[in-house]
Amino acid sequence: MMKEKEKQSLDLPISSLTKHYSPENKLLLSCIRYQLNSATASDVRDLLKRDLHWDILVSNAVRQNVFMLVYKTLKINNSKFIPSSVFERMEIEAQKRMTYNLFLTHKLFQVLNLFAEHNIQAIPFKGPIWAQLAYGNMGLREFSDLDVLVRPQDFSKAKDVLIEQGYYDKNFGANEKSLGEAQMVLPDRRTNIDVHYKLTPRDFYLQVETESFFEDLQTLSLLGKKIATFSPENSLAISYLQGTKDSWNSLKRICDFGRLIQTYPEANWQEVIARCQTDENDRVFLLGIAIAQTYLQISLPEIFSDKLKQFPEVLKVARQHKEYMYHKNMEYGYIFFIISLWERRENTLWSRLQYLLKIIFRVNASDRELFPLPDLLFFVYYPLRIVRLIGKHKISKEKISSLWNLFKS
């Protein structure tokens, strides 16, 4: 039975949830929540009066891809509290990002027209689509590439059409089958189009068929043009899949999912869950919901408010996720691998250990590029990988202890 403290966790005020965080991270969260209507102007103004390290705030906002959300909030709420030199730099940066957003949006129109001329049905998502669909404002969601979904039988043709226009495959087909996508770029590297024929990688714990996503579309007005994109339920499903396959390791993913939840309060969640090829008792799915609520303090559909009360361990991991991401100054990149395995295998400590060992000893391209060795000496990569992981993630005794506590929860 859930403790009273855990029952109340969804309703704690912002000040209580962030009391151990730095002023910069408190302000970052409040700025995001303000744009999602779950924090007030007074929350933001109170934090603006604190002694802040502005470089840290801006750096964290940029790193988490939520700079525009933070900038817009600060611009609205008493920018007089911000040093003029800092705000001027933020305004210049915001203008650059907005200009690039518009540039990519026009590129999207060109690509969709090109595909239509070749009878390729391509459905755009993320990028400018979610900027308008979820936030209602092209200036609130930043993006650096474009994403379209095509049918598997059209994938090669779509690539060929782009190649004829001067694009090339950034990875030259590497990992194409395992990821189900190709990154197509122009030589100037300003335009990157991810052409997907799958929505999840081959080793992801959910395997999602894509044909049904083409059946239920909605029309979106984007800069005066009508664009066909996914239905509310399918957009929610894709946002969840995008976040959870990355273990929710960026605020941008969390904000997208949270904002879509707010945008579609009447969505058919049974359909969303079915699209994800899972069920309402899947604790990984519930973890995505809990993470969005824990960070953003948004209202949840009743189905999930009730369901989360049955799974207190989900709320525990969601809170730990936020603690590691903010209280530890965002140094815990590897923690998200631990969370990603939390419920993707049988719920036994031994099965988790087996999966963890696979992650630790999975030699990848980065290992081989850093330490080029002949195949005869491949076994040397295993100890070298451990050394590289320790150095990359600055693993200490404290981190190991924290990871273990989360891992066995």
Side-chain angles (χ1 to χ4, degrees):
M1 191 168 183
M2 189 162 59
K3 297 177 182 178
E4 188 64 29
K5 183 178 180 181
E6 290 171 331
K7 288 182 180 179
Q8 297 172 351
S9 62
L10 292 179
D11 302 316
L12 290 173
I14 291 172
S15 59
S16 174
L17 285 167
T18 61
K19 64 182 180 181
H20 299 301
Y21 302 163
S22 68
E24 294 78 24
N25 284 337
K26 287 182 181 180
L27 181 56
L28 180 65
L29 276 177
S30 287
C31 285
I32 292 169
R33 290 170 177 169
Y34 178 83
Q35 292 297 335
L36 274 70
N37 304 311
S38 56
T40 66
S42 62
D43 292 323
V44 177
R45 285 196 295 269
D46 288 346
L47 288 165
L48 281 172
K49 297 174 184 178
R50 303 280 296 274
D51 184 18
L52 297 164
H53 295 281
W54 286 100
D55 288 344
I56 293 176
L57 173 69
V58 174
S59 175
N60 286 346
V62 169
R63 185 185 306 120
Q64 294 292 319
N65 292 308
V66 292
F67 172 84
M68 295 298 285
L69 287 171
V70 173
Y71 164 74
K72 290 288 187 180
T73 301
L74 295 178
K75 186 175 181 179
I76 294 170
N77 290 284
N78 291 325
S79 59
K80 64 183 180 181
F81 290 108
I82 308 170
S84 58
S85 60
V86 172
F87 194 69
E88 287 171 7
R89 291 199 302 272
M90 292 184 74
E91 285 194 309
I92 293 171
E93 182 63 26
Q95 186 59 49
K96 288 180 181 177
R97 290 169 185 258
M98 186 62 190
T99 300
Y100 191 53
N101 279 7
L102 294 172
F103 167 79
L104 283 180
T105 302
H106 286 291
K107 284 291 184 182
L108 177 63
F109 297 153
Q110 294 174 12
V111 169
L112 292 178
N113 288 336
L114 187 64
F115 284 157
E117 291 172 6
H118 289 81
N119 297 314
I120 299 172
Q121 186 178 17
I123 310 301
F125 61 103
K126 296 199 302 184
I129 302 299
W130 285 1
Q132 188 64 38
L133 200 65
Y135 299 92
N137 187 330
M138 190 69 71
L140 287 180
R141 187 186 191 275
E142 51 203 85
F143 44 93
S144 58
D145 58 12
L146 301 169
D147 294 85
V148 297
L149 179 71
V150 300
R151 288 183 168 87
Q153 60 267 32
D154 290 331
F155 179 67
S156 294
K157 184 180 178 182
K159 285 181 61 178
D160 290 341
V161 167
L162 290 176
I163 289 171
E164 290 175 0
Q165 298 298 313
Y167 289 82
Y168 67 93
D169 186 340
K170 181 179 179 181
N171 297 313
F172 303 100
N175 301 319
E176 194 172 276
K177 291 184 178 180
S178 61
L179 297 179
E181 65 180 78
Q183 292 182 313
M184 307 299 293
V185 296
L186 286 175
D188 63 7
R189 294 295 185 103
R190 292 194 70 207
T191 308
N192 183 33
I193 302 174
D194 291 349
V195 182
H196 303 254
Y197 69 92
K198 293 174 62 179
L199 290 170
T200 54
R202 187 167 57 193
D203 62 352
F204 190 56
Y205 89 113
L206 297 174
Q207 290 303 303
V208 178
E209 61 82 24
T210 58
E211 183 58 35
S212 60
F213 283 80
F214 289 89
E215 297 172 357
D216 190 10
L217 302 175
Q218 64 175 319
T219 301
L220 175 69
S221 180
L222 188 63
L223 298 183
K225 295 185 179 295
K226 300 296 184 181
I227 302 292
T229 189
F230 299 110
S231 67
E233 286 76 15
N234 286 343
S235 295
L236 281 161
I238 292 173
S239 180
Y240 163 75
L241 293 169
Q242 291 292 311
T244 199
K245 73 180 183 180
D246 294 333
S247 303
W248 303 102
N249 64 1
S250 82
L251 269 178
K252 182 180 183 179
R253 292 279 182 260
I254 298 171
C255 289
D256 285 346
F257 192 44
R259 190 66 185 114
L260 284 167
I261 290 173
Q262 288 184 318
T263 302
Y264 298 117
E266 303 301 322
N268 183 339
W269 279 97
Q270 293 299 335
E271 184 177 330
V272 175
I273 293 167
R275 284 288 191 265
C276 293
Q277 300 292 303
T278 186
D279 60 66
E280 63 183 30
N281 291 317
D282 179 352
R283 293 194 297 174
V284 179
F285 185 88
L286 291 174
L287 178 60
I289 299 289
I291 284 174
Q293 206 286 329
T294 300
Y295 277 84
L296 306 175
Q297 292 297 284
I298 58 174
S299 298
L300 293 180
E302 187 174 344
I303 179 177
F304 295 119
S305 297
D306 294 340
K307 184 63 66 173
L308 285 171
K309 292 175 183 177
Q310 301 174 28
F311 293 93
E313 68 274 22
V314 170
L315 296 174
K316 176 183 176 182
V317 174
R319 288 194 297 269
Q320 287 175 310
H321 185 290
K322 185 158 67 76
E323 286 294 320
Y324 288 123
M325 203 168 183
Y326 285 93
H327 186 47
K328 301 300 182 182
N329 296 317
M330 304 180 190
E331 293 178 357
Y332 276 75
Y334 210 63
I335 195 74
F336 303 112
F337 284 104
I338 307 302
I339 290 177
S340 73
L341 66 85
W342 179 55
E343 194 47 32
R344 295 181 189 183
R345 294 295 185 272
E346 295 178 4
N347 190 22
T348 66
L349 185 58
W350 172 236
S351 64
R352 295 183 192 180
L353 281 172
Q354 286 180 306
Y355 190 57
L356 178 60
L357 290 173
K358 287 181 181 179
I359 291 174
I360 293 174
F361 292 109
R362 183 185 295 157
V363 176
N364 57 28
S366 297
D367 299 309
R368 304 201 70 165
E369 288 174 6
L370 189 60
F371 307 108
L373 293 172
D375 291 341
L376 184 64
L377 297 177
F378 188 87
F379 67 92
V380 178
Y381 281 117
Y382 297 118
L384 289 176
R385 176 167 173 77
I386 293 175
V387 172
R388 189 174 77 84
L389 290 175
I390 291 173
K392 178 181 178 181
H393 299 286
K394 301 177 182 177
I395 295 176
S396 62
K397 289 182 179 179
E398 179 191 9
K399 290 184 179 181
I400 291 173
S401 175
S402 298
L403 287 170
W404 175 249
N405 288 335
L406 177 58
F407 177 71
K408 66 181 182 179
S409 64

